[in-house]
């Protein structure tokens, strides 16, 4: 009967599980490969494609590699089904990095989907594009984000904001355009978009306070409606702006009188601004920072807008809002943060621990805020050990005379807790409270003595190690209380010494022996029992452990040194000391033997010369009490409220302290020029007409076809031109430049890769429809024209807001280092924006040894190993120190650096006024070259030696010549426009790189405005390997319009060449 019932129960369980799985996709995980997936992907029915894609995603979730289905999945990227499109996007994002060249094939479909009428499709397409992390597509991503930032759908604009940090991590050089997009999104009317824009602002330009000044009021008003996790970042941004603009608030709790410990409050506000790692501990110069008032409009508005967030459902938002009121709120109103924070203690254990860490910092600075809520910090049975310890520390901080009886009554239950570690912590808290509240010292000592002399502790009958910890902590607490007033607690010392033979723990015995020796001359009773105690110590010396033996030696020396004269007790003490020293001289432990020899030589020989000096030395060592150390402010670790660093008590990655108060200088906060491309006034978002929405939200991307229908044009068209790498004729652009998969394959290549035959409208198969333009070229030498190069682009190494007014900007130099070819010269410009003189300015490399390189060496740098030993080349040559830098003074220096990689930054330490600031110096690969002087024939010969894999090319547009032509028409009507365009090309590249201009081939055409065939050749030599690097720039189009440009590079260093080509495209564009 029982087996039948078991079988019935099993069948019933299976049936119930099947019923629960009805209508779900759980069956795909049981056997996801039970049918052939490839035929389903090529099916005509969307339902079968959806089923196949779901099975692929199920395999991916189980860790299977299904990248071999990539061609079949890419075909479906243009499907009209939303479900199919979404699943295809998920698949492509997963394999975008692994199959980069194939992922590029779907770029055109993504661009077309950006013009879809469904906002979900537009958002999915943008997210998929930003998931392809390749430098070659960064211009396309920037164009897509620019387009979506002005989308009529708030969801699409929100996705555009979240895409900005991804693009910034991929391409950090062009930040100006990204900041303009952040400006556009911050003025949006949708709170969701504003929250996403704040995330982008924090990742791209967190110190651009003028940008926040333009939108500060609108951001504060939108703060309650922003998404919860975006609220945290937006609150941090607004708080940093307020401190940087208006300074710290003098009415805040950081400066108020309600704080019990002014030292802790002073250290707290210093750590908030300077950070624990940079603050030296003396606090010099901090009190001179700019101070504001809470009556300021910006501060008052921020406080009003964050007040409702104190009761948010998100605990992180509550802590962020509480941090604002704690730092810039008035002291009399800071009590409003107490109840919301205490309400968070009802949350999960993890949240409770984070909240308690922040409450502990608040309570140490202002314990009066929480002293009436002591019951909220009583221990619960479900609390973890970490939470228990923090609650005990908070209770010891906020305890008052009125609340101590209730707290001690609670502690009586804690002492009986099975967790003896927790009991030891409770005993430590009792000692701390008694030390802080001297009135309770007698009561606490009485209770601690009862605990010490209780039978379980002194007998060691069970749980030896755990009970020993409680006993040691109890004696330590007694010791700390006795230090306050030992003369009034003589009886306590006598009771401890009387029970010394009952206590078997070595550490506890050592503590009691130390207490006796320290206070052996206090009162009337202790000196009388001293001979008896010393005799007992001499008797038990051989059986004690090392800790107790060392304290016995010290105690005997103390008692002997404190006894003056040649009375009976002095003679007895000396005999006992000599006896113990003889025992210790032959002890097995070398520490005991060394201590005995030291004491014998110090005070055991009465016949030695200079006896008075030895006696004075012994008295100073054993009888003189050291001065009590001040509050250890240098060991206090305080970080901003709500931050991870406040929980782990060290600067976590990404943590930055508050900016220097008053460091943000905003000339015209109310009327700053609008840096965005939008024509709306401040506070308004882009407006879109319903007619445009019906046609597709961006009519600029649509063209009229022959049949009268609108056709959507992608952001970048893929050329249909066939490429012949064997010909280098300048008359045919398509034959001059080679292409590969990394450039994006043409549509014909895509169709052939998908086993389809391309067929054009004229019936030809595989034929190029590009028309060749024949032009005759006239060569113009570099020396025929004087080029006035533009100033090199400057980058910020250190901003004045983060460095006490010191600004350091750098630009790469065209000079070649005379020390080593591995070193790159960088021009530094030091500017003092502060009102005080800056001193001792220098720059050092982050690592301790500047000559060592950690990690694998850059392949580009490996070729130079035979020329100069890398161990002899430092990362940074020492720079001449700037002793003084007066206000508004500017000083230039040349820095010679060895970059570990041509794409990775160097982390430098800037020293100024005894402080250290961290800065990142990003390399510019265009200056990792030196000019290579070649004539035309030598250039062509070297170019023929570098075909195939050593050749790569990219396409872009060039429009800088349009402004140059307008200026030349105003100056001279007869100016040669072709020369002006060629000159503009040359100046653009030579001003941002270190190349030699070999030749300029300018077209001579029947059409005066036709620039098709303009060719510029540049030559350079990689500084590390001395290998040639050849650049050819060819233009097509009309000079009155933006020119289509193809940039071709020939170099043996393929990795270096690809990265250099991407940099040149950014320069030309």
């Amino acid at each position: 009967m029982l087996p039948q019932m078991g079988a019935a129960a099993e069948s019933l369980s299976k049936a119930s599980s099947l019923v629960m799985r009805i209508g779900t996709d759980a069956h795909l995980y049981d056997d996801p490969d039970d049918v052939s997936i490839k035929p389903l992907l090529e099916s005509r029915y969307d339902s079968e494609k959806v089923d196949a894609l779901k099975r692929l995603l199920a395999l991916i979730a189980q860790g299977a590699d299904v990248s071999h289905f990539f061609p079949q999945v890419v075909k479906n990227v243009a499907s009209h089904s939303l479900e199919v499109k979404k699943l295809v996007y998920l698949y492509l994002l997963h394999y975008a990095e692994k199959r980069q060249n194939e992922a590029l094939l779907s770029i055109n479909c993504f661009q077309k989907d950006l013009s879809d009428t469904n906002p979900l499709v537009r958002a999915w397409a943008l997210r998929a594009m930003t998931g392809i992390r390749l430098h070659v597509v960064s211009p396309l991503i920037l164009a897509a984000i620019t387009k979506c930032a002005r989308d009529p759908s708030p969801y699409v604009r929100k996705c555009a904001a979240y895409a900005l940090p991804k693009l910034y991590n991929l391409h950090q050089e062009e930040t100006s355009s990204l900041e303009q997009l952040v400006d556009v999104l911050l003025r949006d009317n949708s709170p969701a978009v504003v929250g996403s824009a704040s995330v982008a602002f924090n990742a791209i330009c967190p110190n651009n306070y003028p940008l926040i000044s333009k939108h500060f009021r609108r951001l504060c008003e939108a703060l309650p409606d922003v998404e919860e996790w975006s609220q945290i970042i937006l609150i941090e941004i607004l708080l940093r702006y307020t401190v940087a603009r208006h300074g710290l608030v003098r009415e805040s709790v950081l400066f108020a009188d309600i704080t019990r410990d002014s030292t802790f409050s002073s250290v707290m506000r210093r750590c908030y601004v300077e950070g624990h790692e940079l603050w030296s501990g003396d606090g010099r110069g901090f009190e001179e920072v700019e101070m504001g008032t809470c009556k300021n409009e910006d501060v008052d508005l921020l406080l009003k807008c964050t007040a409702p967030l104190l009761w948010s459902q998100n605990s992180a938002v509550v802590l962020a809002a509480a941090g604002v009121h704690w730092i810039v709120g008035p002291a009399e109103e800071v009590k409003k943060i107490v109840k919301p924070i205490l309400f968070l203690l009802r949350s999960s254990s993890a949240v409770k621990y984070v909240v308690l860490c922040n409450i502990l910092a608040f309570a140490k600075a202002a314990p009066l805020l929480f002293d009436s809520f002591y019951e909220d910090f009583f221990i619960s049975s479900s609390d973890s050990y970490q939470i228990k310890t923090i609650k005990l520390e908070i209770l010891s901080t906020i305890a008052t005379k009125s609340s101590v009886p209730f707290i001690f009554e609670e502690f009586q239950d804690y002492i009986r807790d099975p967790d003896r570690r927790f009991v030891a912590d409770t005993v430590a808290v009792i000692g701390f409270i008694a030390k802080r509240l001297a009135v309770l010292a007698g009561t606490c000592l009485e209770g601690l003595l009862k605990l010490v002399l209780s039978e379980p502790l002194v007998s060691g009958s069970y749980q030896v190690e755990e009970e020993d910890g409680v006993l040691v902590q109890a004696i330590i607490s007694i010791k700390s209380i006795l230090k306050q007033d030992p003369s009034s607690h003589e009886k306590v010392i006598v009771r401890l010494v009387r029970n010394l033979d009952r206590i078997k723990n070595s550490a506890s015995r050592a503590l009691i022996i130390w207490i006796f020796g320290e206070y052996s001359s206090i009162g009337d009773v202790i000196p009388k029992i001293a001979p008896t105690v010393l005799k007992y110590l001499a008797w038990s010396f051989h059986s004690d452990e090392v800790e107790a033996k060392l304290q016995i030696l010290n105690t005997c020396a103390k008692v002997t040194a404190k006894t003056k004269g040649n009375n009976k007790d002095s003679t007895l003490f000396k005999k006992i000391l000599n006896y113990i020293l003889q025992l210790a001289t032959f002890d097995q432990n070398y520490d005991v033997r060394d201590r005995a020899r030291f004491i014998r030589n110090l005070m055991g020989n009465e016949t030695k010369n200079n006896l008075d000096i030895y006696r004075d030395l012994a008295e100073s060592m054993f009888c003189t009490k050291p001065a009590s150390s001040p509050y250890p402010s240098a060991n206090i670790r305080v970080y901003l409220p709500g931050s991870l660093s406040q929980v782990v008590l060290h600067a976590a990655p990404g943590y930055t302290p508050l900016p220097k108060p008053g460091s943000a200088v905003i000339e015209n906060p109310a009327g700053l020029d609008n840096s965005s491309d939008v024509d709306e006034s401040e506070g308004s978002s882009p407006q879109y007409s319903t007619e445009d929405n019906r046609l597709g939200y961006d009519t600029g991307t649509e063209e009229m076809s022959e049949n009268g229908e609108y056709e959507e044009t992608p952001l970048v068209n893929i050329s249909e031109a066939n490429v012949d790498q064997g010909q280098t004729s300048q008359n045919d652009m398509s034959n001059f430049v080679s292409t590969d998969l990394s450039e994006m394959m043409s549509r014909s290549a895509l169709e052939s890769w998908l086993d389809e035959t391309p067929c054009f409208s004229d019936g030809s198969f595989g034929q190029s429809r590009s028309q060749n333009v024949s032009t005759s070229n006239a060569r113009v030498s570099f020396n025929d024209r004087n080029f006035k190069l533009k100033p090199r682009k400057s980058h910020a190494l250190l901003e004045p807001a983060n460095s006490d007014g010191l600004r350091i900007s750098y630009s790469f130099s065209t000079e070649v280092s005379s020390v080593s070819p591995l070193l790159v010269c960088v021009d530094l410009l030091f500017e003092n924006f502060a009102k005080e003189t800056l001193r001792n300015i220098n720059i050092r490399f982050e690592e301790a040894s500047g000559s060592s390189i950690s990690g694998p060496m850059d392949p580009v740098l490996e070729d130079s190993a035979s020329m100069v030993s890398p161990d002899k080349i430092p990362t940074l040559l020492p720079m001449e120190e700037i002793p003084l830098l007066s206000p508004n003074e500017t000083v230039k220096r040349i820095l010679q650096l060895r970059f570990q990689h041509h794409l990775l930054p160097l982390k430098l330490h800037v020293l100024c006024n005894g402080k250290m600031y961290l800065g990142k110096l990003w390399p510019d690969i265009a200056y990792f070259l030196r000019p290579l002087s070649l004539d035309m024939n030598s250039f062509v010969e070297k170019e023929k030696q570098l075909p195939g894999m050593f050749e790569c090319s990219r396409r872009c547009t060039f429009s800088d010549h349009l402004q140059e032509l307008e200026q030349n028409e105003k100056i001279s009507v007869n100016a040669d426009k072709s020369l002006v365009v060629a000159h503009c090309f040359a100046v653009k590249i030579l001003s941002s790189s270190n190349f030699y201009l070999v030749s300029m081939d300018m077209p001579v055409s029947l059409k005066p405005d036709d620039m098709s065939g303009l060719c510029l050749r540049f030559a350079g030599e990689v500084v590390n390997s001395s290998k040639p690097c050849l650049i050819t720039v060819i233009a097509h189009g009309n000079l009155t319009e933006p020119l289509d440009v193809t940039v071709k590079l020939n170099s043996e260093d393929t990795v270096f060449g690809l990265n250099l080509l991407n940099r040149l495209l950014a320069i030309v564009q």
Side-chain angles (χ1 to χ4, degrees):
M1 186 67 182
L2 291 177
Q4 295 179 356
M5 293 180 60
E10 183 178 357
S11 60
L12 183 61
S13 176
K14 291 182 179 180
S16 61
S17 62
L18 290 175
V19 171
M20 294 294 294
R21 292 155 63 95
I22 293 177
T24 66
D25 295 326
H27 65 283
L28 298 175
Y29 291 88
D30 295 336
D31 191 8
D33 202 18
D34 57 350
V35 295
S36 181
I37 296 179
K38 186 174 181 180
L40 293 178
L41 291 173
E42 298 175 350
S43 174
R44 296 181 301 172
Y45 303 102
D46 291 337
S47 59
E48 295 183 353
K49 294 180 180 179
V50 168
D51 185 65
L53 290 170
K54 286 182 177 180
R55 295 179 184 277
L56 287 179
L57 295 178
L59 288 169
I60 292 174
Q62 295 177 357
D65 184 10
V66 291
S67 59
H68 55 279
F69 291 103
F70 206 95
Q72 290 77 23
V73 176
V74 170
K75 285 184 179 181
N76 297 302
V77 74
S79 175
H80 296 287
S81 172
L82 294 181
E83 193 171 5
V84 172
K85 192 180 292 290
K86 182 177 181 179
L87 295 173
V88 170
Y89 283 164
L90 293 175
Y91 180 90
L92 292 179
L93 284 177
H94 185 77
Y95 287 107
E97 293 188 14
K98 187 175 181 180
R99 306 287 290 266
Q100 295 179 354
N101 292 335
E102 290 88 341
L104 290 172
L105 301 175
S106 55
I107 290 293
N108 255 11
C109 294
F110 293 154
Q111 294 169 359
K112 290 181 180 179
D113 287 344
L114 291 175
S115 300
D116 196 274
T117 56
N118 192 329
L120 290 178
V121 175
R122 300 198 295 269
W124 293 343
L126 180 63
R127 291 169 62 183
M129 283 190 69
T130 55
I132 302 176
R133 303 185 56 79
L134 297 175
H135 286 278
V136 69
V137 298
S138 57
L140 309 181
I141 297 175
L142 178 59
I145 295 176
T146 305
K147 179 178 181 181
C148 292
R150 296 164 175 83
D151 193 277
S153 172
Y155 180 71
V156 178
R157 300 198 298 273
K158 173 184 173 182
C159 292
Y162 281 129
L164 286 174
K166 298 180 183 178
L167 179 59
Y168 176 74
N169 294 332
L170 183 65
H171 195 68
Q172 297 187 357
E173 297 177 357
E174 299 296 333
T175 59
S176 58
S177 57
L178 299 182
E179 290 181 7
Q180 293 178 5
L181 291 175
V182 172
D183 187 16
V184 172
L185 294 168
L186 282 176
R187 72 180 62 214
D188 202 281
N189 284 333
S190 173
V193 180
V194 173
S196 305
S198 64
V199 177
F201 174 88
N202 201 39
I204 297 171
C205 50
N207 297 324
N208 192 350
Y209 298 119
L211 184 58
I212 296 298
S213 178
K214 296 166 57 177
H215 311 288
F216 180 79
R217 179 168 292 275
R218 292 189 60 255
L219 292 177
C220 290
E221 294 173 352
L223 182 59
D225 299 325
V226 173
E227 293 179 350
E228 291 180 348
W229 295 109
S230 299
Q231 283 176 344
I232 304 169
I233 297 177
L234 186 54
I235 290 173
E236 179 185 359
I237 293 172
L238 296 176
L239 175 61
R240 293 181 181 276
Y241 165 79
T242 304
V243 174
R245 177 75 189 285
H246 305 290
L248 294 177
V249 177
R250 63 172 58 92
E251 296 92 347
S252 68
V253 70
L254 299 179
F255 297 92
D257 296 333
I258 66 172
T259 58
R260 178 189 299 164
D261 194 341
S262 59
T263 304
F264 186 88
S265 300
S266 177
V267 173
M268 173 179 281
R269 56 178 179 263
R270 289 172 189 152
C271 291
Y272 280 173
V273 176
E274 299 178 6
H276 184 273
E277 284 69 20
L278 296 180
W279 175 52
S280 59
D282 54 4
R284 290 177 295 180
F286 183 83
E287 302 298 339
E288 301 176 2
V289 299
E290 184 173 341
M291 302 288 291
T293 175
C294 61
K295 297 180 181 179
N296 182 279
E297 293 183 0
D298 290 346
V299 178
D300 185 58
L301 179 62
L302 179 60
L303 293 174
K304 288 182 179 178
C305 294
T306 53
L309 300 181
L310 290 173
W311 295 101
S312 173
Q313 295 181 351
N314 192 313
S315 56
V317 176
V318 176
L319 287 178
V324 173
H325 288 263
W326 176 261
I327 295 174
V328 299
E332 58 272 12
E333 298 181 6
V334 77
K335 290 184 177 180
K336 67 171 63 175
I337 73 172
V338 176
K339 290 186 178 180
I341 293 179
L342 294 178
F343 185 78
L344 297 178
L345 297 180
R346 305 178 184 179
S347 305
S348 63
S349 179
V351 174
K352 187 187 300 185
Y353 179 76
V354 174
V355 173
L356 287 172
C357 290
N358 288 271
I359 292 177
L360 179 60
F362 294 155
K364 287 183 177 180
L368 297 179
L369 293 176
F370 299 93
D371 59 358
S372 60
F373 301 96
Y374 61 89
E375 292 182 352
D376 292 314
F377 303 104
F378 284 169
I379 307 301
S380 175
S381 58
S382 60
D383 290 339
S384 62
Y385 174 73
Q386 292 77 12
I387 293 178
K388 290 178 181 179
T389 54
I390 296 182
K391 283 187 174 182
L392 286 175
E393 190 172 359
I394 295 173
L395 286 173
S396 67
T397 305
I398 65 175
T400 59
K401 294 180 182 179
S402 59
S403 61
V404 159
F406 303 98
I407 294 177
F408 280 0
E409 185 180 355
E410 185 76 10
F411 283 177
Q412 292 179 5
D413 295 331
Y414 298 167
I415 292 176
R416 292 189 289 269
D417 193 274
D419 187 358
R420 308 311 288 176
R421 285 191 309 166
F422 172 57
V423 174
D425 294 336
T426 305
V427 172
V429 169
I430 293 174
F432 184 83
I433 294 176
K435 185 178 178 181
R436 190 166 58 82
L437 302 175
V439 181
L440 304 172
T443 305
C444 293
L445 282 175
E446 190 67 26
L448 291 172
L449 273 177
K450 289 182 180 179
L451 182 64
V452 169
L453 303 179
S454 61
E455 187 64 26
L457 290 183
V458 299
S459 63
S461 57
Y462 70 98
Q463 296 181 351
V464 177
E465 295 182 358
E466 295 181 354
E467 295 297 341
D468 286 348
V470 177
L471 178 61
V472 170
Q473 187 59 61
I475 298 176
I476 291 175
S477 299
I478 293 175
K479 172 186 169 183
S480 63
I481 299 173
L482 290 175
K483 281 185 178 181
Q484 306 299 316
D485 189 10
S487 59
S488 60
H489 302 295
E490 181 184 5
K491 294 182 179 180
V492 176
I493 301 175
V494 173
R495 291 180 63 183
L496 283 175
V497 175
R498 278 184 172 180
N499 292 275
L500 188 60
D501 58 337
R502 297 178 56 198
I503 298 176
K504 306 302 180 182
N505 178 257
S506 176
S508 303
R509 289 176 60 84
L511 285 170
I512 296 176
I513 294 171
W514 181 92
I515 293 173
F516 170 75
E518 187 70 17
Y519 308 114
S520 59
S521 60
I522 294 176
D524 299 330
V525 179
I526 297 179
K528 293 179 181 180
I529 66 172
T532 306
V533 174
L534 290 183
K535 290 179 182 179
Y536 167 75
L537 294 178
W539 171 78
S540 64
F541 183 84
H542 69 282
S543 61
D544 280 325
E545 296 184 10
V546 175
E547 294 177 87
K549 288 180 179 180
L550 293 175
Q551 287 302 328
I552 290 174
L553 289 170
N554 292 343
T555 298
C556 290
K558 287 180 183 179
V559 174
T560 305
K562 291 178 182 179
T563 305
K564 297 181 180 180
N566 295 320
N567 52 21
K568 183 178 179 181
D569 291 341
S570 176
T571 305
L572 177 61
F573 292 158
K574 289 180 181 179
K575 290 182 179 180
I576 296 175
L577 176 62
N578 291 329
Y579 174 74
I580 294 176
L581 288 176
Q582 289 179 1
L583 293 176
T585 304
F586 302 98
D587 195 87
Q588 294 182 354
N589 186 272
Y590 59 86
D591 287 333
V592 177
R593 297 196 301 269
D594 292 344
R595 183 73 60 87
R597 293 189 186 99
F598 172 76
I599 295 176
R600 181 186 299 277
N601 293 328
L602 181 64
M603 53 189 307
N605 192 351
E606 296 290 345
T607 61
K608 63 176 63 174
N609 298 328
N610 300 325
L611 184 60
D612 294 337
I613 297 177
Y614 283 93
R615 285 179 178 176
D616 294 339
L617 180 59
E619 289 182 2
S620 63
M621 291 184 62
F622 295 113
C623 301
T624 305
K625 295 183 179 179
S628 59
S629 59
Y631 197 82
S633 58
N635 297 328
I636 298 177
R637 292 181 176 269
V638 183
Y639 298 89
L640 292 177
S643 62
L644 174 63
S645 301
Q646 181 60 39
V647 179
V648 298
L649 294 180
H650 65 81
Y655 173 83
T656 53
L658 292 174
K660 183 177 179 181
S663 59
V665 180
I666 302 174
E667 297 178 357
N668 188 15
L672 286 175
D673 294 335
N674 191 359
S675 60
S676 64
D677 297 330
V678 187
D679 297 332
E680 296 82 22
S681 60
E682 183 179 353
S684 62
S685 63
Q687 302 297 324
Y688 307 93
S689 64
T690 56
E691 183 178 358
D692 290 341
N693 292 339
R694 290 194 302 268
L695 296 177
Y697 71 96
D698 190 354
T699 57
T701 60
E702 299 176 350
E703 295 179 356
M704 185 72 72
S705 62
E706 296 180 358
N707 56 4
E709 296 180 354
Y710 282 94
E711 294 182 351
E712 296 171 345
T713 306
L715 296 177
V716 176
N717 290 320
I718 298 179
S719 174
E720 291 290 336
N722 270 342
V723 180
D724 187 2
Q725 298 181 5
Q727 300 177 0
T728 58
S729 174
Q730 298 175 1
N731 298 332
D732 189 0
M733 269 297 299
S734 63
N735 293 336
F736 194 86
V737 182
S738 65
T739 58
D740 55 13
L741 275 175
S742 62
E743 182 191 353
M744 288 183 302
M745 297 175 62
S746 64
R747 187 179 294 109
S748 58
L750 171 62
E751 292 171 348
S752 63
W753 188 69
L754 297 176
D755 297 330
E756 296 180 3
T757 304
C759 180
F760 299 116
S761 57
D762 57 359
S764 60
F765 288 80
Q767 300 296 327
S768 174
R769 293 185 293 177
S770 61
Q771 297 179 355
N772 299 336
V773 181
S774 300
T775 59
S776 61
N777 297 329
R779 183 177 300 165
V780 179
S781 176
F782 174 79
N783 295 326
D784 293 342
R785 195 160 175 82
N786 296 324
F787 289 94
K788 184 179 179 181
L789 301 182
K790 297 180 180 179
R792 296 188 300 274
K793 185 176 180 181
S794 178
H795 308 272
L797 178 64
L798 200 63
E799 292 291 347
N802 302 326
S803 57
D804 294 338
L806 175 63
R807 174 183 171 82
I808 305 178
S809 56
Y810 66 95
S811 60
F812 286 84
S813 174
T814 56
E815 297 180 5
V816 179
S817 174
S818 58
V819 179
S820 170
L822 292 176
L823 297 175
V824 178
C825 296
V826 180
D827 294 333
L828 295 182
L829 184 65
F830 296 81
E831 300 172 86
N832 186 359
F833 287 88
K835 298 180 181 179
E836 299 176 356
T837 302
L838 302 178
R839 303 175 185 274
N840 303 329
I841 304 175
N842 206 340
I843 293 181
R844 296 178 183 174
F845 185 53
E846 185 182 24
E847 295 181 353
S849 61
S851 61
S852 63
I853 296 180
S854 60
M857 195 174 181
D858 184 6
V860 179
L861 305 181
E862 288 179 348
D863 298 328
S864 60
S866 59
M867 183 168 47
V868 181
S869 176
D871 295 334
K872 298 181 180 179
I873 302 173
T875 302
L876 171 65
L877 288 186
M879 187 194 77
E880 180 182 357
E881 183 175 331
I882 303 175
L884 296 175
L885 188 63
S886 302
N888 300 323
E889 185 182 1
T890 302
V891 176
K892 294 183 179 180
R893 288 286 188 272
I894 296 179
L895 203 64
Q896 299 188 46
L897 302 165
R898 180 191 181 187
F899 285 93
Q900 300 178 11
H901 197 281
H902 58 273
L903 295 179
L904 301 179
L906 277 182
K907 296 181 179 179
L908 303 178
H909 280 165
V910 181
L911 304 179
C912 178
N913 289 344
K915 297 181 180 180
M916 186 179 295
Y917 306 97
L918 181 63
K920 289 186 179 181
L921 197 150
W922 291 88
D924 191 343
I925 195 173
Y927 290 92
F928 281 58
L929 304 156
R930 54 174 171 262
L932 179 61
S933 179
L934 295 176
D935 56 11
M936 183 61 188
N937 296 329
S938 301
F939 184 95
V940 174
E941 285 297 325
K942 289 184 176 293
E943 187 182 35
K944 291 180 180 179
Q945 297 173 6
L946 299 172
M949 63 176 294
F950 302 115
E951 180 179 301
C952 54
S953 61
R954 299 289 187 272
R955 295 190 180 103
C956 63
T957 58
F958 181 75
S959 59
D960 288 7
H961 65 287
L962 300 177
Q963 185 177 2
E964 193 75 21
L965 289 174
E966 292 179 1
Q967 295 178 358
N968 279 273
E969 286 179 358
K970 296 178 182 179
I971 300 174
S972 175
V973 181
N974 299 324
D976 191 339
K977 296 183 178 180
S978 299
L979 282 176
V980 171
V981 176
H983 170 270
C984 190
F985 258 113
V987 169
K988 184 72 173 179
I989 295 180
L990 294 176
S991 298
S992 303
S993 61
N994 204 10
F995 281 104
Y996 173 82
L997 178 60
V998 178
S999 68
M1000 292 190 302
D1001 294 342
M1002 294 178 295
V1004 178
S1005 176
L1006 298 177
K1007 299 179 181 179
D1009 294 339
D1010 188 11
M1011 291 300 298
S1012 298
L1014 174 64
C1015 179
L1016 291 87
R1017 297 179 178 86
F1018 301 85
E1021 199 174 46
V1022 182
V1023 294
N1024 304 309
S1025 60
S1026 299
K1027 295 179 180 179
C1029 186
L1030 310 179
I1031 303 296
T1032 305
V1033 181
I1034 305 173
H1036 261 285
N1038 196 310
L1039 57 81
T1040 60
E1041 299 174 355
L1043 298 176
D1044 295 327
V1045 179
T1046 301
V1047 182
K1048 186 187 73 167
L1049 183 142
N1050 296 80
S1051 176
E1052 292 184 38
D1053 294 330
T1054 54
V1055 177
F1056 181 89
L1058 286 173
N1059 291 307
L1060 177 60
L1061 184 58
N1062 291 329
R1063 175 64 181 137
L1064 291 176
L1065 286 182
I1067 293 173
V1068 173
Q1069 287 181 331

